[in-house]
Amino acid sequence: MRLFLAHLLLVLLLLISSTTCLDNGLARTPPMGWMSWTAFYCETDCNKHPDGCINEDLYKAMADQIVIDGYNLVGYKSVHIDDCWSEMERDANGVLVANKTRFPSGMKKLAKYMHRLGLNFGIYEDYGTKTCAGYPGSYKHEKVDAETFAAWDVDYLKLDGCNIDEDLMPIGYPLMGKELNATGRPIMYSCSWPAYLINHPEKVDYNVIGKHCNTWRNFDDINSSWKSIVSIISYYDKNQDKHIPTHGPGKWHDPDMLVIGNKGITDAMAISQFTIW
Ligand SMILES: *[C@@H]1O[C@H](CO)[C@@H](O)[C@H](O)[C@H]1NC(C)=O
Ligand SMILES: *[C@@H]1O[C@H](CO)[C@@H](O)[C@H](O)[C@H]1NC(C)=O
Ligand SMILES: *[C@@H]1O[C@H](CO)[C@@H](O)[C@H](O)[C@H]1NC(C)=O
């Protein structure tokens, strides 16, 4: 009888964990790669900025550079598109479409390009009705978007949190996690969930967030200034007691991008940021 109870308990525990955990086996160490935002933001004018606009050539060039310089050999294994990649409207079936002038080969081909170089391919969406820059968001399109990303062979999704009621976040972020899991493709899942609750820390439970996301932004967007770097360092300093027990393999706090190499960042600032991150 006791054995039976123990067995039942184990089954129950397994059931609970399988229905509440992300459990995709990814991000055993903190994910590292290259992301475009703080260098190129939402620059979509490719006539004016042919070498610095959000298009497929930019991501291919960065992927090439990662391999040429050997960053991949020390762990920087992914290239991430940020906001402003899609067309302003979904297609007739509600499917997201990459901007056809800036991504003429399409996302699946771009993913293939990364994979041939041994790199992972990351994409950006937003849980709200629109992304932060006003492109179509995933709200009420979670399933089709997860399926689209899986069909494009995406390896990583950054899901931002603009244009949605903060009280919906505990519903929306787990829902997208569930839809990603349902595609059968392991897709690393980065949530901006707590970063939108900075003013309501009582609503942030990292033990819950860690069950649904591989990594999450805690705090403000970084930018290429010392003030920004210091504000993030100070935030992490103050919140260590809350952060340390709630991270580990598969679930990481994300202090946002390294801005090393950007205009305005001196060597001393770069060394400081790199050391603390
Ligand atoms: C989906 O979740 C189940 C149960 O947690 C897990 O075993 C499986 O590996 C996950 N699949 C993907 C593709 O993430
Ligand atoms: C695609 O991007 C270009 C800017 O590079 C923009 O002019 C065009 O309107 C975009 N197309 C759609 C359908 O959003
Ligand atoms: C950069 O971040 C700092 C600190 O959060 C903020 O005060 C400043 O306004 C930001 N600058 C820009 C250009 O967004």
Side-chain angles (χ1 to χ4, degrees), residues 44-46 86-89 99-102 135:
T44 55
D45 189 340
C46 298
S86 80
E87 298 210 335
M88 281 301 182
E89 305 291 340
N99 180 294
K100 290 194 189 82
T101 39
R102 291 184 282 116
Y135 292 78

Side-chain angles (χ1 to χ4, degrees), residues 239-260:
N239 289 280
Q240 292 182 61
D241 292 346
K242 200 170 173 186
H243 290 170
I244 291 169
T246 50
H247 78 167
K251 42 178 191 169
W252 305 102
H253 303 286
D254 172 10
D256 208 1
M257 284 163 261
L258 295 169
V259 289
I260 292 167

Side-chain angles (χ1 to χ4, degrees), residues 57-276:
D57 292 342
L58 177 75
Y59 296 98
K60 284 183 182 172
M62 292 302 161
D64 292 345
Q65 203 64 42
I66 282 176
V67 172
I68 290 167
D69 290 341
Y71 287 103
N72 55 334
L73 303 177
V74 293
Y76 295 89
K77 289 200 185 304
S78 48
V79 173
H80 301 256
I81 296 181
D82 210 287
D83 205 347
C84 308
W85 58 266
S86 80
E87 298 210 335
M88 281 301 182
E89 305 291 340
R90 292 170 178 272
D91 75 7
N93 299 318
V95 177
L96 290 165
V97 184
N99 180 294
K100 290 194 189 82
T101 39
R102 291 184 282 116
F103 294 88
S105 317
M107 290 302 181
K108 199 178 168 83
K109 284 253 175 69
L110 192 53
K112 195 168 196 178
Y113 190 91
M114 303 302 163
H115 294 153
R116 279 216 189 102
L117 292 173
L119 301 173
N120 290 328
F121 179 53
I123 207 161
Y124 167 101
E125 241 299 354
D126 186 290
Y127 168 50
T129 50
K130 284 180 191 310
T131 70
C132 299
Y135 292 78
S138 282
Y139 185 60
K140 299 214 163 137
H141 293 88
E142 296 86 355
K143 188 178 172 62
V144 67
D145 289 355
E147 285 169 355
T148 302
F149 299 145
W152 288 346
D153 298 330
V154 162
D155 303 298
Y156 184 114
L157 171 66
K158 169 181 171 182
L159 194 66
D160 214 336
C162 279
N163 303 309
I164 191 76
D165 188 321
E166 63 179 44
D167 288 330
L168 287 176
M169 295 201 173
I171 299 166
Y173 279 99
L175 174 60
M176 182 57 101
K178 190 177 138 263
E179 297 297 358
L180 289 174
N181 178 279
T183 67
R185 182 176 177 82
I187 296 179
M188 214 181 281
Y189 186 30
S190 162
C191 301
S192 299
W193 178 358
Y196 284 87
L197 300 172
I198 298 174
N199 297 322
H200 299 282
E202 74 284 358
K203 290 186 184 171
V204 175
D205 183 342
Y206 289 122
N207 287 312
V208 172
I209 294 171
K211 288 203 169 96
H212 299 287
C213 306
N214 291 119
T215 179
W216 50 84
R217 286 277 314 285
N218 313 70
F219 189 57
D220 286 343
D221 283 358
I222 198 166
N223 63 46
S224 301
S225 72
W226 183 237
K227 186 177 176 198
S228 169
I229 294 172
V230 166
S231 73
I232 294 172
I233 292 172
S234 157
Y235 177 82
Y236 280 82
D237 178 36
K238 290 199 188 87
N239 289 280
Q240 292 182 61
D241 292 346
K242 200 170 173 186
H243 290 170
I244 291 169
T246 50
H247 78 167
K251 42 178 191 169
W252 305 102
H253 303 286
D254 172 10
D256 208 1
M257 284 163 261
L258 295 169
V259 289
I260 292 167
N262 288 359
K263 233 180 261 162
I265 300 299
T266 64
D267 286 357
M269 293 179 201
I271 290 166
S272 305
Q273 192 196 12
F274 192 83
T275 306
I276 299 205

